[in-house]
């Protein structure tokens, strides 16, 4: 969903585990990293001064990883 650098990310796991979030620009530069421990549900708030464009949010646990495209207007 397009945003202005302010958004919330909710992560729901099937069981309590560590989770790691990394936000990258399209050149592969890490812009932000977050982590959480010992929960199944997480909520992360972002308020970053990002330029308009697309970014990649990598969400990882020990067993799975997913990449989500974030669009900043």
């Amino acid at each position: 969903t397009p945003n202005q650098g302010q958004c919330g990310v909710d992560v729901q796991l099937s069981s309590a585990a560590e989770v790691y979030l990394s936000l990258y620009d399209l050149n592969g530069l890490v812009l932000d990293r977050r982590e959480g421990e010992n929960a199944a549900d997480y909520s992360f708030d972002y308020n970053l001064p990002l330029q308009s464009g697309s970014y990649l949010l990598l969400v990882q646990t020990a067993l799975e990883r997913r990449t989500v495209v974030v669009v900043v207007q």
Side-chain angles (χ1 to χ4, degrees):
T1 303
N3 66 77
Q4 277 95 30
Q6 298 177 348
C7 66
V9 175
D10 294 324
V11 178
Q12 295 179 327
L13 307 175
S14 58
S15 61
E18 293 181 344
V19 67
Y20 301 93
L21 282 72
S22 301
L23 183 68
Y24 296 88
D25 67 13
L26 295 182
N27 295 316
L29 180 66
V30 177
L31 303 175
D32 187 77
R33 289 186 189 221
R34 313 270 172 112
E35 63 182 73
E37 299 180 359
N38 300 321
D41 296 318
Y42 294 95
S43 182
F44 297 93
D45 291 322
Y46 285 88
N47 186 6
L48 302 172
L50 300 174
Q51 294 184 353
S52 296
S54 296
Y55 299 85
L56 301 175
L57 180 65
L58 175 63
V59 181
Q60 301 181 90
T61 67
L63 301 175
E64 190 174 359
R65 74 191 302 174
R66 292 190 184 184
T67 303
V68 178
V69 176
V70 177
V71 178
V72 175
Q73 293 181 334

